[in-house]
Amino acid sequence: MPEKLLTAADVKTAPFDPRFPNTNQTRYCYQSYVDFHRCQKVRGEKYEACNYFKRVYQSLCPNEWIDKWDTQREEGTFAGRI
């Protein structure tokens, strides 16, 4: 049985954010990562609305960056203020 082809409506990515109008999305990636962890810290890990930021950073950020930042957070050396 052939696999279902994805349509444009099926593909999800980060929506436009007017704070980051340029094509370089590095800042948007980083800010979404920080916002996700900040949201979880303030609201708790079970707060569903925080997952918006997680979806955004997972779609924009390279996996290597996410792994590096996770390691830095665990070691207490992450540069961002969470």
Side-chain angles (χ1 to χ4, degrees):
M1 176 180 253
E3 293 184 32
K4 179 185 172 193
L5 296 175
L6 294 177
T7 64
D10 295 330
V11 178
K12 304 285 187 221
T13 189
F16 176 74
D17 189 329
R19 298 177 297 165
F20 309 104
N22 300 325
T23 56
N24 185 345
Q25 297 294 298
T26 303
R27 173 99 172 123
Y28 190 12
C29 152
Y30 177 79
Q31 191 61 51
S32 296
Y33 182 86
V34 170
D35 287 344
F36 170 71
H37 291 288
R38 204 177 277 163
C39 179
Q40 280 198 325
K41 182 179 179 182
V42 171
R43 302 284 185 159
E45 293 186 10
K46 303 248 190 258
Y47 191 65
E48 193 64 30
C50 295
N51 289 331
Y52 165 79
F53 297 114
K54 185 175 185 177
R55 285 192 306 274
V56 171
Y57 84 72
Q58 285 181 331
S59 75
L60 292 176
C61 300
N63 291 333
E64 293 82 21
W65 292 6
I66 296 170
D67 293 340
K68 180 181 175 184
W69 293 337
D70 286 342
T71 302
Q72 289 175 343
R73 278 189 324 101
E74 290 168 4
E75 295 172 351
T77 59
F78 184 68
R81 293 195 301 177
I82 297 178

